Amino acid sequence: MSDQRFPWEEAMTLGLGTLRLAPDIFWRMTLPELAAAARAARPEDQGAMRREELAKMMTRFPDACRNDGREATGK
């Protein structure tokens, strides 16, 4: 058996304090859900987007530009 225990104080501080979750919602969350919420709350900890990710996003969501380079207004 491991001597390490789950850091419940830190998890509760994150969920109830930082994320301001209601206690009933916090206690129904799975640990992967809590981890995802923590990542969303601190996107600066995720690192920069890689060039490949940017290229895929630009392909999927292209900017709408006219031939003269100005943004299209949809009119």
Side-chain angles (χ1 to χ4, degrees), residues 14-67:
L14 170 71
L16 303 172
T18 304
L19 299 174
R20 299 179 186 259
L21 298 169
D24 63 318
I25 293 173
F26 171 78
W27 289 111
R28 286 187 306 206
M29 292 180 89
T30 64
L31 292 178
E33 290 170 336
L34 182 60
R39 286 190 303 274
R42 303 195 69 186
E44 65 276 3
D45 292 346
Q46 294 180 18
M49 181 181 295
R50 294 188 338 248
R51 184 177 302 264
E52 298 82 27
E53 293 171 311
L54 177 61
K56 285 180 185 177
M57 188 183 326
M58 291 172 66
T59 300
R60 187 169 177 199
F61 304 104
D63 291 335
C65 290
R66 302 184 319 189
N67 288 339

